[in-house]
């Protein structure tokens, strides 16, 4: 019978994730992971495999978490609340970037930029995550259209792609140094350009930013 592990796997994966996030895949050695987690390299290899397999585990878990955060905001419900849910999600993503004072950026974007060209696993995980986010956004946009808050003749797939590009782009320009108010204004503008029926008021940013969630 296999001997039970004498460490908290979740904690080890979180510390490994933080190390990869800080120094990138190429800049991270298993010695660095061992130091960050407090485990010997033999234990790390035995539990998670080599550096590539460990990164795939960390990256996949993070992709799942990103979709879960989006699903918590874009959880569906009455059509009357769909536009508010969209607004809350877009503003939440802006606030997450504002809160990233270390300018680490998104682990998905960081990992994909470094590895997707040569690593089919990372490429597949990141593409699947973006597809799931698009689906969540498209579902809420369609609900808002049914309620009459967004022009029913607009293509929900294209609008979802626009909002996804905006929220992921906010992270990129925030990492590059744009100030918080500019980031918030980008979120406001993205929502303001959604094609509303004539006479419909545009959503405005709340004076109390939403609680931060990981992205």
């Amino acid at each position: 019978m296999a001997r039970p592990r004498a460490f908290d796997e979740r904690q080890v994966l979180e510390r490994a994730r933080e190390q990869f996030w800080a120094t990138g895949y190429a800049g991270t050695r298993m010695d660095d992971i061992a130091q960050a987690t407090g485990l010997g390299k033999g234990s790390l290899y035995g539990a998670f495999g080599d550096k590539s397999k460990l990164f795939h585990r960390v990256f996949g878990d993070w992709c799942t978490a990103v979709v879960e955060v989006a699903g918590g905001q874009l959880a569906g419900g009455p059509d009357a609340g769909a536009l508010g849910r969209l607004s809350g999600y877009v503003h939440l993503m802006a606030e997450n970037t504002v809160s990233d004072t270390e300018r680490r950026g998104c682990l998905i974007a960081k990992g994909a930029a470094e590895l997707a060209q040569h690593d089919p696993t990372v490429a597949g995980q990141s593409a699947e995550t973006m597809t799931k986010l698009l689906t969540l956004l498209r579902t809420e946009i369609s609900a808002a259209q049914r309620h009459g808050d967004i022009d029913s003749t607009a293509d929900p797939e294209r609008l979802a792609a626009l909002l996804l590009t905006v929220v992921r782009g906010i992270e990129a320009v925030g990492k590059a140094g744009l100030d918080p108010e500019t980031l918030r204004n980008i979120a406001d503008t993205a929502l303001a350009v959604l094609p509303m029926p004539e006479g419909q008021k545009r959503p405005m940013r709340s004076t109390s930013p939403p609680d931060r969630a990981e992205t």
Side-chain angles (χ1 to χ4, degrees):
M1 184 174 67
R3 188 174 65 180
R5 293 175 179 173
F7 60 84
D8 185 327
E9 181 177 285
R10 179 178 177 181
Q11 185 180 70
V12 169
L13 288 170
E14 287 177 350
R15 291 179 179 176
R17 181 191 71 210
E18 293 300 307
Q19 186 64 50
F20 281 124
W21 209 336
T23 56
Y25 180 80
T28 299
R29 304 170 303 159
M30 287 300 280
D31 286 334
D32 301 321
I33 300 292
Q35 183 175 1
T37 61
L39 291 181
K41 288 196 293 184
S43 296
L44 286 169
Y45 283 119
F48 306 106
D50 60 16
K51 186 175 83 165
S52 176
K53 291 180 180 178
L54 177 57
F55 182 79
H56 289 162
R57 173 70 182 276
V58 167
F59 191 78
D61 287 351
W62 190 250
C63 288
T64 298
V66 166
V67 173
E68 288 176 350
V69 167
Q73 293 290 315
L74 307 171
D79 290 354
L83 186 59
R85 293 189 292 271
L86 285 167
S87 178
Y89 176 67
V90 173
H91 286 133
L92 175 63
M93 296 300 99
E95 291 304 322
N96 283 347
T97 301
V98 168
S99 300
D100 182 17
T101 55
E102 297 180 5
R103 297 184 184 176
R104 296 189 307 172
C106 174
L107 182 62
I108 297 176
K110 204 168 187 175
E114 185 177 4
L115 296 172
Q117 184 178 1
H118 308 291
D119 189 323
T121 298
V122 170
Q125 288 174 331
S126 55
E128 181 181 2
T129 301
M130 295 302 113
T131 298
K132 289 178 178 178
L133 294 177
L134 274 175
T135 299
L136 289 167
L137 288 163
R138 183 180 65 245
T139 298
E140 294 289 15
I141 288 169
S142 295
Q145 288 177 305
R146 289 193 299 269
H147 190 253
D149 289 327
I150 296 177
D151 184 356
S152 61
T153 66
D155 185 339
E157 188 75 34
R158 291 187 178 187
L159 294 180
L162 171 65
L163 290 184
L164 180 60
T165 301
V166 168
V167 296
R168 305 318 296 184
I170 286 174
E171 176 273 327
V173 296
K175 183 179 179 182
L178 283 189
D179 63 274
E181 193 59 24
T182 299
L183 300 178
R184 293 173 177 134
N185 287 339
I186 293 170
D188 284 339
T189 302
L191 292 162
V193 301
L194 291 175
M196 305 288 184
E198 187 176 356
Q200 181 70 40
K201 292 183 179 180
R202 304 291 183 177
M204 298 299 291
R205 184 177 72 237
S206 169
T207 55
S208 298
D211 293 335
R212 183 177 183 272
E214 296 294 345
T215 54

PDB file of all heavy atoms in Angstrom, residues 95-129:
ATOM      1  N   GLU A  95     -10.738  45.858 -11.672  1.00  0.00           N
ATOM      2  CA  GLU A  95     -10.278  46.034 -10.290  1.00  0.00           C
ATOM      3  C   GLU A  95      -9.196  45.027  -9.931  1.00  0.00           C
ATOM      4  O   GLU A  95      -8.269  45.346  -9.175  1.00  0.00           O
ATOM      5  CB  GLU A  95     -11.457  45.911  -9.324  1.00  0.00           C
ATOM      6  CG  GLU A  95     -12.453  47.048  -9.416  1.00  0.00           C
ATOM      7  CD  GLU A  95     -11.818  48.421  -9.209  1.00  0.00           C
ATOM      8  OE1 GLU A  95     -10.911  48.540  -8.361  1.00  0.00           O
ATOM      9  OE2 GLU A  95     -12.214  49.361  -9.920  1.00  0.00           O
ATOM     10  N   ASN A  96      -9.281  43.815 -10.465  1.00  0.00           N
ATOM     11  CA  ASN A  96      -8.214  42.840 -10.228  1.00  0.00           C
ATOM     12  C   ASN A  96      -6.878  43.361 -10.748  1.00  0.00           C
ATOM     13  O   ASN A  96      -5.831  43.207 -10.108  1.00  0.00           O
ATOM     14  CB  ASN A  96      -8.536  41.517 -10.927  1.00  0.00           C
ATOM     15  CG  ASN A  96      -9.582  40.712 -10.185  1.00  0.00           C
ATOM     16  OD1 ASN A  96      -9.903  41.016  -9.040  1.00  0.00           O
ATOM     17  ND2 ASN A  96     -10.110  39.697 -10.833  1.00  0.00           N
ATOM     18  N   THR A  97      -6.917  43.984 -11.916  1.00  0.00           N
ATOM     19  CA  THR A  97      -5.689  44.523 -12.499  1.00  0.00           C
ATOM     20  C   THR A  97      -5.181  45.703 -11.691  1.00  0.00           C
ATOM     21  O   THR A  97      -3.972  45.836 -11.454  1.00  0.00           O
ATOM     22  CB  THR A  97      -5.939  44.943 -13.963  1.00  0.00           C
ATOM     23  OG1 THR A  97      -6.383  43.805 -14.697  1.00  0.00           O
ATOM     24  CG2 THR A  97      -4.671  45.481 -14.597  1.00  0.00           C
ATOM     25  N   VAL A  98      -6.085  46.564 -11.246  1.00  0.00           N
ATOM     26  CA  VAL A  98      -5.697  47.691 -10.395  1.00  0.00           C
ATOM     27  C   VAL A  98      -5.007  47.181  -9.127  1.00  0.00           C
ATOM     28  O   VAL A  98      -4.022  47.758  -8.654  1.00  0.00           O
ATOM     29  CB  VAL A  98      -6.936  48.539 -10.034  1.00  0.00           C
ATOM     30  CG1 VAL A  98      -6.605  49.533  -8.927  1.00  0.00           C
ATOM     31  CG2 VAL A  98      -7.463  49.275 -11.270  1.00  0.00           C
ATOM     32  N   SER A  99      -5.505  46.072  -8.588  1.00  0.00           N
ATOM     33  CA  SER A  99      -4.955  45.525  -7.344  1.00  0.00           C
ATOM     34  C   SER A  99      -3.622  44.812  -7.540  1.00  0.00           C
ATOM     35  O   SER A  99      -2.929  44.521  -6.563  1.00  0.00           O
ATOM     36  CB  SER A  99      -5.959  44.548  -6.724  1.00  0.00           C
ATOM     37  OG  SER A  99      -7.176  45.187  -6.426  1.00  0.00           O
ATOM     38  N   ASP A 100      -3.268  44.517  -8.788  1.00  0.00           N
ATOM     39  CA  ASP A 100      -2.019  43.806  -9.076  1.00  0.00           C
ATOM     40  C   ASP A 100      -0.851  44.796  -9.074  1.00  0.00           C
ATOM     41  O   ASP A 100      -0.272  45.110 -10.117  1.00  0.00           O
ATOM     42  CB  ASP A 100      -2.136  43.091 -10.427  1.00  0.00           C
ATOM     43  CG  ASP A 100      -0.894  42.275 -10.773  1.00  0.00           C
ATOM     44  OD1 ASP A 100      -0.082  41.993  -9.866  1.00  0.00           O
ATOM     45  OD2 ASP A 100      -0.730  41.925 -11.963  1.00  0.00           O
ATOM     46  N   THR A 101      -0.527  45.292  -7.894  1.00  0.00           N
ATOM     47  CA  THR A 101       0.503  46.332  -7.791  1.00  0.00           C
ATOM     48  C   THR A 101       1.895  45.812  -8.153  1.00  0.00           C
ATOM     49  O   THR A 101       2.774  46.604  -8.486  1.00  0.00           O
ATOM     50  CB  THR A 101       0.521  46.915  -6.372  1.00  0.00           C
ATOM     51  OG1 THR A 101       0.701  45.849  -5.417  1.00  0.00           O
ATOM     52  CG2 THR A 101      -0.803  47.621  -6.059  1.00  0.00           C
ATOM     53  N   GLU A 102       2.098  44.505  -8.097  1.00  0.00           N
ATOM     54  CA  GLU A 102       3.392  43.938  -8.497  1.00  0.00           C
ATOM     55  C   GLU A 102       3.496  43.769 -10.005  1.00  0.00           C
ATOM     56  O   GLU A 102       4.558  43.406 -10.519  1.00  0.00           O
ATOM     57  CB  GLU A 102       3.601  42.590  -7.810  1.00  0.00           C
ATOM     58  CG  GLU A 102       3.675  42.684  -6.285  1.00  0.00           C
ATOM     59  CD  GLU A 102       3.873  41.324  -5.657  1.00  0.00           C
ATOM     60  OE1 GLU A 102       4.054  40.329  -6.401  1.00  0.00           O
ATOM     61  OE2 GLU A 102       3.851  41.244  -4.422  1.00  0.00           O
ATOM     62  N   ARG A 103       2.374  44.021 -10.701  1.00  0.00           N
ATOM     63  CA  ARG A 103       2.321  43.909 -12.166  1.00  0.00           C
ATOM     64  C   ARG A 103       2.769  42.537 -12.662  1.00  0.00           C
ATOM     65  O   ARG A 103       3.505  42.405 -13.642  1.00  0.00           O
ATOM     66  CB  ARG A 103       3.162  45.001 -12.830  1.00  0.00           C
ATOM     67  CG  ARG A 103       2.677  46.422 -12.546  1.00  0.00           C
ATOM     68  CD  ARG A 103       3.503  47.431 -13.319  1.00  0.00           C
ATOM     69  NE  ARG A 103       3.102  48.797 -12.986  1.00  0.00           N
ATOM     70  CZ  ARG A 103       3.706  49.882 -13.455  1.00  0.00           C
ATOM     71  NH1 ARG A 103       4.741  49.752 -14.272  1.00  0.00           N
ATOM     72  NH2 ARG A 103       3.290  51.086 -13.108  1.00  0.00           N
ATOM     73  N   ARG A 104       2.288  41.509 -11.982  1.00  0.00           N
ATOM     74  CA  ARG A 104       2.633  40.156 -12.424  1.00  0.00           C
ATOM     75  C   ARG A 104       1.853  39.763 -13.669  1.00  0.00           C
ATOM     76  O   ARG A 104       2.296  38.921 -14.440  1.00  0.00           O
ATOM     77  CB  ARG A 104       2.339  39.152 -11.303  1.00  0.00           C
ATOM     78  CG  ARG A 104       3.169  39.324 -10.062  1.00  0.00           C
ATOM     79  CD  ARG A 104       2.971  38.172  -9.112  1.00  0.00           C
ATOM     80  NE  ARG A 104       1.562  37.935  -8.810  1.00  0.00           N
ATOM     81  CZ  ARG A 104       1.114  36.891  -8.119  1.00  0.00           C
ATOM     82  NH1 ARG A 104       1.963  35.977  -7.686  1.00  0.00           N
ATOM     83  NH2 ARG A 104      -0.162  36.742  -7.848  1.00  0.00           N
ATOM     84  N   GLY A 105       0.668  40.364 -13.852  1.00  0.00           N
ATOM     85  CA  GLY A 105      -0.162  40.002 -14.976  1.00  0.00           C
ATOM     86  C   GLY A 105      -0.883  38.683 -14.739  1.00  0.00           C
ATOM     87  O   GLY A 105      -0.864  38.124 -13.643  1.00  0.00           O
ATOM     88  N   CYS A 106      -1.518  38.190 -15.767  1.00  0.00           N
ATOM     89  CA  CYS A 106      -2.291  36.949 -15.683  1.00  0.00           C
ATOM     90  C   CYS A 106      -1.389  35.755 -15.979  1.00  0.00           C
ATOM     91  O   CYS A 106      -0.643  35.767 -16.962  1.00  0.00           O
ATOM     92  CB  CYS A 106      -3.447  37.007 -16.672  1.00  0.00           C
ATOM     93  SG  CYS A 106      -4.367  35.458 -16.795  1.00  0.00           S
ATOM     94  N   LEU A 107      -1.475  34.732 -15.164  1.00  0.00           N
ATOM     95  CA  LEU A 107      -0.650  33.547 -15.370  1.00  0.00           C
ATOM     96  C   LEU A 107      -0.972  32.867 -16.698  1.00  0.00           C
ATOM     97  O   LEU A 107      -0.084  32.309 -17.348  1.00  0.00           O
ATOM     98  CB  LEU A 107      -0.843  32.564 -14.209  1.00  0.00           C
ATOM     99  CG  LEU A 107       0.005  31.292 -14.254  1.00  0.00           C
ATOM    100  CD1 LEU A 107       1.491  31.629 -14.203  1.00  0.00           C
ATOM    101  CD2 LEU A 107      -0.374  30.355 -13.119  1.00  0.00           C
ATOM    102  N   ILE A 108      -2.243  32.919 -17.108  1.00  0.00           N
ATOM    103  CA  ILE A 108      -2.599  32.303 -18.394  1.00  0.00           C
ATOM    104  C   ILE A 108      -1.893  33.019 -19.536  1.00  0.00           C
ATOM    105  O   ILE A 108      -1.277  32.389 -20.403  1.00  0.00           O
ATOM    106  CB  ILE A 108      -4.124  32.324 -18.609  1.00  0.00           C
ATOM    107  CG1 ILE A 108      -4.817  31.487 -17.541  1.00  0.00           C
ATOM    108  CG2 ILE A 108      -4.469  31.793 -20.005  1.00  0.00           C
ATOM    109  CD1 ILE A 108      -6.326  31.518 -17.615  1.00  0.00           C
ATOM    110  N   ALA A 109      -1.991  34.343 -19.543  1.00  0.00           N
ATOM    111  CA  ALA A 109      -1.339  35.109 -20.600  1.00  0.00           C
ATOM    112  C   ALA A 109       0.173  34.920 -20.561  1.00  0.00           C
ATOM    113  O   ALA A 109       0.830  34.765 -21.598  1.00  0.00           O
ATOM    114  CB  ALA A 109      -1.695  36.583 -20.463  1.00  0.00           C
ATOM    115  N   LYS A 110       0.703  34.909 -19.357  1.00  0.00           N
ATOM    116  CA  LYS A 110       2.156  34.777 -19.195  1.00  0.00           C
ATOM    117  C   LYS A 110       2.637  33.406 -19.670  1.00  0.00           C
ATOM    118  O   LYS A 110       3.611  33.292 -20.419  1.00  0.00           O
ATOM    119  CB  LYS A 110       2.507  34.991 -17.717  1.00  0.00           C
ATOM    120  CG  LYS A 110       3.915  35.444 -17.439  1.00  0.00           C
ATOM    121  CD  LYS A 110       4.032  35.892 -15.980  1.00  0.00           C
ATOM    122  CE  LYS A 110       5.386  36.523 -15.709  1.00  0.00           C
ATOM    123  NZ  LYS A 110       5.454  37.069 -14.325  1.00  0.00           N
ATOM    124  N   GLY A 111       1.935  32.366 -19.238  1.00  0.00           N
ATOM    125  CA  GLY A 111       2.330  31.013 -19.627  1.00  0.00           C
ATOM    126  C   GLY A 111       2.141  30.765 -21.108  1.00  0.00           C
ATOM    127  O   GLY A 111       2.982  30.142 -21.761  1.00  0.00           O
ATOM    128  N   ALA A 112       1.021  31.259 -21.661  1.00  0.00           N
ATOM    129  CA  ALA A 112       0.762  31.056 -23.082  1.00  0.00           C
ATOM    130  C   ALA A 112       1.779  31.792 -23.936  1.00  0.00           C
ATOM    131  O   ALA A 112       2.254  31.264 -24.951  1.00  0.00           O
ATOM    132  CB  ALA A 112      -0.655  31.518 -23.427  1.00  0.00           C
ATOM    133  N   ALA A 113       2.123  33.013 -23.546  1.00  0.00           N
ATOM    134  CA  ALA A 113       3.092  33.785 -24.316  1.00  0.00           C
ATOM    135  C   ALA A 113       4.458  33.102 -24.348  1.00  0.00           C
ATOM    136  O   ALA A 113       5.151  33.116 -25.363  1.00  0.00           O
ATOM    137  CB  ALA A 113       3.222  35.186 -23.726  1.00  0.00           C
ATOM    138  N   GLU A 114       4.810  32.459 -23.248  1.00  0.00           N
ATOM    139  CA  GLU A 114       6.128  31.834 -23.167  1.00  0.00           C
ATOM    140  C   GLU A 114       6.166  30.442 -23.797  1.00  0.00           C
ATOM    141  O   GLU A 114       7.177  30.062 -24.403  1.00  0.00           O
ATOM    142  CB  GLU A 114       6.555  31.728 -21.698  1.00  0.00           C
ATOM    143  CG  GLU A 114       7.962  31.191 -21.506  1.00  0.00           C
ATOM    144  CD  GLU A 114       8.403  31.155 -20.051  1.00  0.00           C
ATOM    145  OE1 GLU A 114       7.580  31.484 -19.164  1.00  0.00           O
ATOM    146  OE2 GLU A 114       9.566  30.797 -19.809  1.00  0.00           O
ATOM    147  N   LEU A 115       5.048  29.697 -23.696  1.00  0.00           N
ATOM    148  CA  LEU A 115       5.118  28.274 -24.010  1.00  0.00           C
ATOM    149  C   LEU A 115       4.188  27.770 -25.110  1.00  0.00           C
ATOM    150  O   LEU A 115       4.443  26.710 -25.695  1.00  0.00           O
ATOM    151  CB  LEU A 115       4.821  27.464 -22.739  1.00  0.00           C
ATOM    152  CG  LEU A 115       5.816  27.620 -21.588  1.00  0.00           C
ATOM    153  CD1 LEU A 115       5.292  26.917 -20.351  1.00  0.00           C
ATOM    154  CD2 LEU A 115       7.176  27.057 -21.978  1.00  0.00           C
ATOM    155  N   ALA A 116       3.085  28.480 -25.375  1.00  0.00           N
ATOM    156  CA  ALA A 116       2.051  27.908 -26.250  1.00  0.00           C
ATOM    157  C   ALA A 116       2.568  27.537 -27.632  1.00  0.00           C
ATOM    158  O   ALA A 116       2.099  26.565 -28.233  1.00  0.00           O
ATOM    159  CB  ALA A 116       0.882  28.880 -26.376  1.00  0.00           C
ATOM    160  N   GLN A 117       3.542  28.280 -28.148  1.00  0.00           N
ATOM    161  CA  GLN A 117       4.055  28.003 -29.488  1.00  0.00           C
ATOM    162  C   GLN A 117       4.702  26.626 -29.580  1.00  0.00           C
ATOM    163  O   GLN A 117       4.675  25.986 -30.647  1.00  0.00           O
ATOM    164  CB  GLN A 117       5.054  29.086 -29.896  1.00  0.00           C
ATOM    165  CG  GLN A 117       5.577  28.926 -31.324  1.00  0.00           C
ATOM    166  CD  GLN A 117       6.541  30.047 -31.708  1.00  0.00           C
ATOM    167  OE1 GLN A 117       6.841  30.928 -30.905  1.00  0.00           O
ATOM    168  NE2 GLN A 117       7.012  30.020 -32.941  1.00  0.00           N
ATOM    169  N   HIS A 118       5.256  26.146 -28.460  1.00  0.00           N
ATOM    170  CA  HIS A 118       6.007  24.888 -28.490  1.00  0.00           C
ATOM    171  C   HIS A 118       5.414  23.816 -27.580  1.00  0.00           C
ATOM    172  O   HIS A 118       5.901  22.680 -27.595  1.00  0.00           O
ATOM    173  CB  HIS A 118       7.460  25.136 -28.074  1.00  0.00           C
ATOM    174  CG  HIS A 118       8.131  26.238 -28.835  1.00  0.00           C
ATOM    175  ND1 HIS A 118       8.441  26.130 -30.173  1.00  0.00           N
ATOM    176  CD2 HIS A 118       8.517  27.489 -28.454  1.00  0.00           C
ATOM    177  CE1 HIS A 118       9.013  27.253 -30.587  1.00  0.00           C
ATOM    178  NE2 HIS A 118       9.066  28.097 -29.565  1.00  0.00           N
ATOM    179  N   ASP A 119       4.407  24.164 -26.793  1.00  0.00           N
ATOM    180  CA  ASP A 119       3.861  23.232 -25.807  1.00  0.00           C
ATOM    181  C   ASP A 119       2.375  23.009 -26.089  1.00  0.00           C
ATOM    182  O   ASP A 119       1.542  23.848 -25.741  1.00  0.00           O
ATOM    183  CB  ASP A 119       4.056  23.798 -24.396  1.00  0.00           C
ATOM    184  CG  ASP A 119       3.719  22.799 -23.297  1.00  0.00           C
ATOM    185  OD1 ASP A 119       2.762  22.027 -23.488  1.00  0.00           O
ATOM    186  OD2 ASP A 119       4.387  22.824 -22.244  1.00  0.00           O
ATOM    187  N   PRO A 120       2.005  21.892 -26.695  1.00  0.00           N
ATOM    188  CA  PRO A 120       0.604  21.650 -27.039  1.00  0.00           C
ATOM    189  C   PRO A 120      -0.327  21.625 -25.828  1.00  0.00           C
ATOM    190  O   PRO A 120      -1.495  22.002 -25.940  1.00  0.00           O
ATOM    191  CB  PRO A 120       0.634  20.281 -27.727  1.00  0.00           C
ATOM    192  CG  PRO A 120       2.040  20.114 -28.202  1.00  0.00           C
ATOM    193  CD  PRO A 120       2.891  20.817 -27.197  1.00  0.00           C
ATOM    194  N   THR A 121       0.182  21.196 -24.682  1.00  0.00           N
ATOM    195  CA  THR A 121      -0.662  21.147 -23.487  1.00  0.00           C
ATOM    196  C   THR A 121      -1.051  22.541 -23.045  1.00  0.00           C
ATOM    197  O   THR A 121      -2.228  22.828 -22.775  1.00  0.00           O
ATOM    198  CB  THR A 121       0.058  20.409 -22.351  1.00  0.00           C
ATOM    199  OG1 THR A 121       0.320  19.063 -22.748  1.00  0.00           O
ATOM    200  CG2 THR A 121      -0.796  20.403 -21.082  1.00  0.00           C
ATOM    201  N   VAL A 122      -0.082  23.434 -22.962  1.00  0.00           N
ATOM    202  CA  VAL A 122      -0.361  24.814 -22.565  1.00  0.00           C
ATOM    203  C   VAL A 122      -1.248  25.491 -23.607  1.00  0.00           C
ATOM    204  O   VAL A 122      -2.201  26.212 -23.264  1.00  0.00           O
ATOM    205  CB  VAL A 122       0.947  25.602 -22.362  1.00  0.00           C
ATOM    206  CG1 VAL A 122       0.669  27.091 -22.186  1.00  0.00           C
ATOM    207  CG2 VAL A 122       1.703  25.062 -21.144  1.00  0.00           C
ATOM    208  N   ALA A 123      -0.962  25.267 -24.870  1.00  0.00           N
ATOM    209  CA  ALA A 123      -1.779  25.853 -25.933  1.00  0.00           C
ATOM    210  C   ALA A 123      -3.219  25.382 -25.831  1.00  0.00           C
ATOM    211  O   ALA A 123      -4.169  26.175 -25.950  1.00  0.00           O
ATOM    212  CB  ALA A 123      -1.199  25.499 -27.291  1.00  0.00           C
ATOM    213  N   GLY A 124      -3.401  24.097 -25.591  1.00  0.00           N
ATOM    214  CA  GLY A 124      -4.743  23.550 -25.492  1.00  0.00           C
ATOM    215  C   GLY A 124      -5.493  24.042 -24.268  1.00  0.00           C
ATOM    216  O   GLY A 124      -6.686  24.365 -24.340  1.00  0.00           O
ATOM    217  N   GLN A 125      -4.807  24.100 -23.131  1.00  0.00           N
ATOM    218  CA  GLN A 125      -5.445  24.558 -21.899  1.00  0.00           C
ATOM    219  C   GLN A 125      -5.865  26.017 -21.996  1.00  0.00           C
ATOM    220  O   GLN A 125      -6.971  26.387 -21.569  1.00  0.00           O
ATOM    221  CB  GLN A 125      -4.496  24.362 -20.712  1.00  0.00           C
ATOM    222  CG  GLN A 125      -4.306  22.913 -20.301  1.00  0.00           C
ATOM    223  CD  GLN A 125      -3.248  22.744 -19.229  1.00  0.00           C
ATOM    224  OE1 GLN A 125      -2.295  23.529 -19.130  1.00  0.00           O
ATOM    225  NE2 GLN A 125      -3.393  21.722 -18.404  1.00  0.00           N
ATOM    226  N   SER A 126      -5.007  26.850 -22.561  1.00  0.00           N
ATOM    227  CA  SER A 126      -5.336  28.271 -22.660  1.00  0.00           C
ATOM    228  C   SER A 126      -6.469  28.496 -23.655  1.00  0.00           C
ATOM    229  O   SER A 126      -7.394  29.289 -23.391  1.00  0.00           O
ATOM    230  CB  SER A 126      -4.099  29.085 -23.050  1.00  0.00           C
ATOM    231  OG  SER A 126      -3.514  28.612 -24.248  1.00  0.00           O
ATOM    232  N   ALA A 127      -6.450  27.781 -24.790  1.00  0.00           N
ATOM    233  CA  ALA A 127      -7.522  27.925 -25.784  1.00  0.00           C
ATOM    234  C   ALA A 127      -8.861  27.451 -25.217  1.00  0.00           C
ATOM    235  O   ALA A 127      -9.905  28.091 -25.428  1.00  0.00           O
ATOM    236  CB  ALA A 127      -7.171  27.150 -27.043  1.00  0.00           C
ATOM    237  N   GLU A 128      -8.844  26.357 -24.494  1.00  0.00           N
ATOM    238  CA  GLU A 128     -10.079  25.838 -23.893  1.00  0.00           C
ATOM    239  C   GLU A 128     -10.643  26.825 -22.868  1.00  0.00           C
ATOM    240  O   GLU A 128     -11.860  27.022 -22.797  1.00  0.00           O
ATOM    241  CB  GLU A 128      -9.801  24.492 -23.228  1.00  0.00           C
ATOM    242  CG  GLU A 128     -11.035  23.853 -22.599  1.00  0.00           C
ATOM    243  CD  GLU A 128     -10.724  22.525 -21.924  1.00  0.00           C
ATOM    244  OE1 GLU A 128      -9.542  22.110 -21.917  1.00  0.00           O
ATOM    245  OE2 GLU A 128     -11.660  21.914 -21.395  1.00  0.00           O
ATOM    246  N   THR A 129      -9.757  27.450 -22.112  1.00  0.00           N
ATOM    247  CA  THR A 129     -10.199  28.436 -21.119  1.00  0.00           C
ATOM    248  C   THR A 129     -10.858  29.622 -21.785  1.00  0.00           C
ATOM    249  O   THR A 129     -11.937  30.075 -21.365  1.00  0.00           O
ATOM    250  CB  THR A 129      -8.998  28.905 -20.275  1.00  0.00           C
ATOM    251  OG1 THR A 129      -8.420  27.776 -19.624  1.00  0.00           O
ATOM    252  CG2 THR A 129      -9.436  29.917 -19.230  1.00  0.00           C
TER     253      THR A 129
END
